[in-house]
Amino acid sequence: MTDPGATLGDVIHQRTADLTRAERRVARTLFASNLMAGFDTVAGLAARSGVSGPTVLRFANKIGFAGYADFQRALESDVAARIDSPLRLYGRSPPEQRRDHLLDIAGDSFVHGIEATFANLPRSEFDAAVELLADRRRTVYATGGRFTQACAEMLHAHLYQLRPRAHVIAYTPQGRADALLDLSRRDVVVIFDVRRYQKDTIALAEAAKKQGATLVLITDPWLSPIADLADQVLTVDVDAPSPYDTLVPCIALIEALVAGIVGRLGDTTHRRIAALESLRKGYTWDDREVPQDPEARSS
């Protein structure tokens, strides 16, 4: 691979446009199996993909490998990284090499993560995601996993102020089932899914896709299996100075999407926010009207 910082999933995703239809079937098989199908033989992967052995070899060549064996060696290290848990990462965390304060180390890590995320995002994918989320004719749903549900709720907190028909799918079995009830071809589902990818989130994506919804996936560089189903895929860096993957670049991406949506919708967002602020009068404190008496404030 030409970029030493790219993951295998990154490379496959970025070069999809260069693949033939048959070679894309190999890519879909890999993503659907969380890349594990790549450990099969050439003949085995070809059979699973419904293509010929030479097609598998051409696929490996097109994504930058001299042969299938080279592809599998890269796959070994890639899969080891994508299945890392906090416990494994904690055990592998090296002792501090520098004398800088932790805040300096963390700051450098987070800044690098944001810069890497924005540098690696295909502009066309980002613009397409903005266009989908800004389309007021579509209903938008957002959901995530155990940690990334917070990102889904943050996106929703902005979206419902900027446009109508924006919802967050509750991170519960009932909430996810209920959301599927009314999904249609006009709807967009934004899914946050980073390693270790959750089966229930993948199942939700599969069900939403069967009902015709458009999927926008925000994932890590190793790519959730949902990438095979998604219409738009945006990846974020997750490297952190702790055993836990960081969400800082993901939050930065959300804010960039919000900025894009505001720019796309123009004055309609201003009018909507003004109307919302008007409705909120009488329900929230205005600093100029806060009573000075503590007892009155508590009442």
Side-chain angles (χ1 to χ4, degrees):
M1 294 181 287
T2 55
D3 181 359
T7 68
L8 196 53
D10 263 338
V11 172
I12 297 172
H13 178 63
Q14 291 169 4
R15 300 187 185 181
T16 297
D18 300 327
L19 302 177
T20 65
R21 181 175 298 181
E23 290 160 357
R24 289 179 188 175
R25 292 172 71 176
V26 179
R28 286 197 296 269
T29 299
L30 289 170
F31 285 138
S33 66
N34 211 6
L35 296 190
M36 299 303 289
F39 289 113
D40 207 339
T41 63
V42 170
L45 179 56
R48 294 175 68 168
S49 305
V51 300
S52 67
T55 296
V56 172
L57 297 177
R58 285 194 296 271
F59 167 82
N61 292 153
K62 281 193 177 180
I63 62 172
F65 296 97
Y68 193 66
D70 288 341
F71 165 77
Q72 287 189 318
R73 280 191 287 271
L75 181 59
E76 287 180 3
S77 59
D78 187 275
V79 170
R82 67 166 35 215
I83 63 174
D84 269 340
S85 67
L87 181 60
R88 282 168 53 88
L89 290 170
Y90 186 89
R92 285 170 35 192
S93 296
E96 193 171 308
Q97 299 290 328
R98 299 158 48 184
R99 294 185 178 181
D100 296 0
H101 191 279
L102 176 59
L103 285 176
D104 298 316
I105 298 171
D108 289 346
S109 175
F110 297 145
V111 168
H112 172 76
I114 294 173
E115 290 177 342
T117 294
F118 284 13
N120 292 329
L121 278 174
R123 271 42 184 170
S124 59
E125 295 264 353
F126 177 84
D127 293 343
V130 168
E131 194 71 22
L132 285 169
L133 298 180
D135 189 344
R136 293 160 54 91
R137 298 168 299 177
R138 295 176 178 268
T139 299
V140 177
Y141 297 85
T143 192
R146 181 182 176 190
F147 285 100
T148 53
Q149 180 70 11
C151 294
E153 291 174 357
M154 178 181 177
L155 176 62
H156 171 257
H158 288 86
L159 281 181
Y160 89 88
Q161 296 187 51
L162 302 177
R163 46 152 299 153
R165 295 186 294 279
H167 307 282
V168 63
I169 299 176
Y171 182 56
T172 62
Q174 181 177 341
R176 293 187 162 190
D178 290 353
L180 290 168
L181 180 63
D182 295 319
L183 275 183
S184 71
R185 295 181 181 277
R186 297 296 304 167
D187 299 335
V188 178
V189 181
V190 183
I191 301 177
F192 295 82
D193 190 37
V194 301
R195 65 180 185 183
R196 299 174 287 170
Y197 316 109
Q198 294 183 215
K199 292 181 179 180
D200 55 340
T201 304
I202 297 169
L204 172 66
E206 292 172 341
K209 192 66 176 179
K210 285 181 180 178
Q211 291 180 222
T214 298
L215 302 186
V216 176
L217 172 67
I218 298 178
T219 185
D220 54 45
W222 296 276
L223 296 185
S224 160
I226 297 171
D228 183 43
L229 305 171
D231 298 275
Q232 305 298 332
V233 179
L234 305 176
T235 60
V236 294
D237 189 88
V238 295
D239 285 341
S242 76
Y244 294 92
D245 289 338
T246 179
L247 295 179
V248 171
C250 189
I251 292 172
L253 173 59
I254 291 170
E255 300 210 356
L257 289 170
V258 169
I261 295 165
V262 171
R264 179 69 179 78
L265 291 177
D267 289 341
T268 59
T269 61
H270 182 270
R271 292 194 295 269
R272 182 174 173 86
I273 293 174
L276 178 62
E277 291 298 316
S278 177
L279 291 169
R280 283 176 171 175
K281 286 181 179 179
Y283 294 92
T284 58
W285 287 114
D286 184 316
D287 290 341
R288 295 166 298 179
E289 300 174 358
V290 175
Q292 298 302 312
D293 183 351
E295 293 184 1
R297 183 179 304 174
S298 63
S299 64

